[in-house]
Amino acid sequence: VQLQASGGGLVQPGGSLRLSCAASGNIIIVHDMGWYRQAPGKQRELVAGITSDGRTNYADSVKGRFAISRDNAKKTVYLQMNSLKPEDTAVYYCNAEVYDGSEIAFHWGKGTLVTVSS
């Protein structure tokens, strides 16, 4: 199973970005999916998560600014990030809980860098 994230880049404060992460490989079912981030010198933290039936949860720091969604047919999770702040600068990682027919395991994407700076 592979997770390929895209959509990161440099954006000015107040701007927007949309991250995407597609799962591929030997997949029977994709359960929970989510986005995490890790800023320099800090621990990786949960940004947003979404269940297979669309229930979402967010870190307090991004509530009202970020929106997570998914397309189950495409095995893809998205993160719409609005009103970006410099403190949102981090490497963003996607995560998915996948059943491959023999076991359920968590998989990580390689990360995409988001830089918020003027």
Side-chain angles (χ1 to χ4, degrees), residues 11-113:
V11 63
Q12 292 186 342
S16 298
L17 280 176
R18 189 190 193 211
L19 306 183
S20 300
C21 177
S24 62
N26 188 26
I27 298 171
I28 303 299
I29 299 173
V30 181
H31 295 293
D32 295 352
M33 304 184 82
W35 289 96
Y36 290 71
R37 67 186 180 187
Q38 187 166 18
K42 295 188 176 181
Q43 291 186 333
R44 190 174 297 189
E45 62 175 358
L46 174 68
V47 176
I50 185 167
T51 64
S52 56
D53 60 356
R55 288 171 289 140
T56 60
N57 64 287
Y58 296 93
D60 288 343
S61 60
V62 306
K63 283 181 180 176
R65 300 188 298 122
F66 291 11
I68 189 171
S69 60
R70 63 189 287 171
D71 184 329
N72 289 332
K74 295 181 178 179
K75 302 182 181 68
T76 299
V77 63
Y78 306 97
L79 185 68
Q80 178 66 43
M81 304 184 293
N82 300 325
S83 302
L84 282 160
K85 304 175 181 180
E87 51 263 44
D88 294 318
T89 295
V91 177
Y92 283 71
Y93 299 89
C94 59
N95 172 279
E97 183 183 25
V98 175
Y99 175 60
D100 65 3
S102 62
E103 65 175 3
I104 295 176
F106 288 94
H107 300 272
W108 291 93
K110 288 187 177 181
T112 183
L113 178 63

